[in-house]
Amino acid sequence: MYTSILSATIHGLDAVPVRVEVDVSSGLPGFSMVGNLSSQVRESQDRVKTALHNIHISMPPNKITVNLSPGDIPKNGTGFDLPIAGAILQILGHIPGNNLGNVLVAGEIGLDGRVRGIRGILPIVSLAGKLGCRGCIIPKDNLEEAMLSENIQVIGVDDLAEFITTVRQEKWGRKEKSDTEISMWRQEEVTDSVPMDFADIRGQIPAKRAALLAAAGFHNLLLLGPPGSGKTMIAARISGLLPPLTHEEMLELTNIYSVAGMLSKEHPWIVNRPFRNPHHTISPYALAGGGKIPQPGEITLAHRGVLFLDEFPEMKRASLELLRQPLEDRKIWISRTGGRYCFPADFLLVAAMNKETSILIQADTSVAA
């Protein structure tokens, strides 16, 4: 018997639709998964089997084959647990056959049957809206983040039992919050979040004027001065001088931080321009983004905001060299075996160095000359 459920995977910063196909046939009992899978996805079979057993649902002694289509796209993450379990439950008759038609499902399952949150739920839910799905079933832990996408009906579930009960309903598609409640909630988010103010700085008039000019024209800035003179304090407040984020920019930044798994559960909405302050020992991969399936690096996390590099001369040469492309193109391309990814990197670069260090650099340059 065959069935399929729509899900999605994250490819760079975008969600890509994936069709979870499950077939139960006669033959030697077994559970096999295919479709260009990572080790995280392959572990789904053990989580799903154990979770179904712990909610007293017996797996049939048949051959179960799971295919995640299309097979040419790498699959990563734990979000396929819930659609795989849903497809098996549909075959076993615990869920009506047409109740998950044109519905996107994503979520991780614990061994006790609880449904846990996953990364990148905002681009996944946005994809469901673009595809014209009638609804989306996700973990309740991700519900607040998913409600930022207004063009799709979303249901959050806590465990497999609630998932089965929800899908069995004839008309389960509904919004957890009204549009008025969402608007009020967003307004509270913006009101409660205030960036740091330049009024906290005493003196340093030339440096404050330079920071104001840099923010006005989105120019890069180099701060020189002895330790304790307030270089970091000034840099941290430059993002507050930039114009407020538009709705599209907020959604774009929230999407990036959702993929990176860096959103707060209580306030999953980026309302201020980011300020990133990595340590000077940061590796080039952490700065640019990397991994077998690349994740956003610091320069992407600073998109639409400020990237502050303290102790600038102490940074690795490779880390400084990779800044050339994003400073010119406002984006960075990362090539890996799994594909080629483009991450946005439109940031204001603020660097700082000690005055004594700059004198030594000038002396070395004149000696070499």
Side-chain angles (χ1 to χ4, degrees), residues 272-291:
N272 292 324
R273 295 186 180 271
F275 172 76
R276 303 298 300 178
N277 182 15
H279 196 262
H280 65 269
T281 59
I282 187 173
S283 68
Y285 300 103
L287 190 63

Side-chain angles (χ1 to χ4, degrees), residues 9 53 63 252-253 274:
T9 188
H53 172 75
K63 180 181 178 181
E252 181 184 23
L253 285 173

Side-chain angles (χ1 to χ4, degrees), residues 228-290:
S229 58
K231 299 186 295 295
T232 302
M233 189 175 185
I234 292 173
R237 284 155 176 76
I238 292 179
S239 59
L241 297 176
L242 299 174
L245 291 172
T246 64
H247 177 78
E248 290 74 17
E249 290 174 337
M250 288 183 184
L251 194 59
E252 181 184 23
L253 285 173
T254 305
N255 187 87
I256 293 173
Y257 279 76
S258 174
V259 172
M262 299 176 63
L263 286 180
S264 167
K265 290 184 179 180
E266 293 77 17
H267 305 287
W269 183 247
I270 304 298
V271 296
N272 292 324
R273 295 186 180 271
F275 172 76
R276 303 298 300 178
N277 182 15
H279 196 262
H280 65 269
T281 59
I282 187 173
S283 68
Y285 300 103
L287 190 63

Side-chain angles (χ1 to χ4, degrees), residues 332-353:
I332 184 167
W333 286 92
I334 300 177
S335 297
R336 293 292 185 270
T337 56
R340 196 162 183 255
Y341 304 82
C342 182
F343 291 140
D346 188 4
F347 57 87
L348 190 157
L349 176 63
V350 180
M353 55 190 295

Side-chain angles (χ1 to χ4, degrees), residues 303-359:
H303 182 59
R304 304 292 185 188
V306 175
L307 175 65
F308 177 56
L309 301 180
D310 201 3
E311 303 294 345
F312 195 62
E314 304 297 329
M315 296 191 67
K316 298 178 181 178
R317 183 180 180 86
S319 299
L320 298 179
E321 290 292 339
L322 67 82
L323 291 173
R324 292 178 183 271
Q325 182 196 14
L327 285 175
E328 293 178 1
D329 301 337
R330 301 298 178 180
K331 59 185 176 182
I332 184 167
W333 286 92
I334 300 177
S335 297
R336 293 292 185 270
T337 56
R340 196 162 183 255
Y341 304 82
C342 182
F343 291 140
D346 188 4
F347 57 87
L348 190 157
L349 176 63
V350 180
M353 55 190 295
N354 295 333
K355 191 172 183 180
E356 293 81 358
T357 306
S358 64
I359 294 174

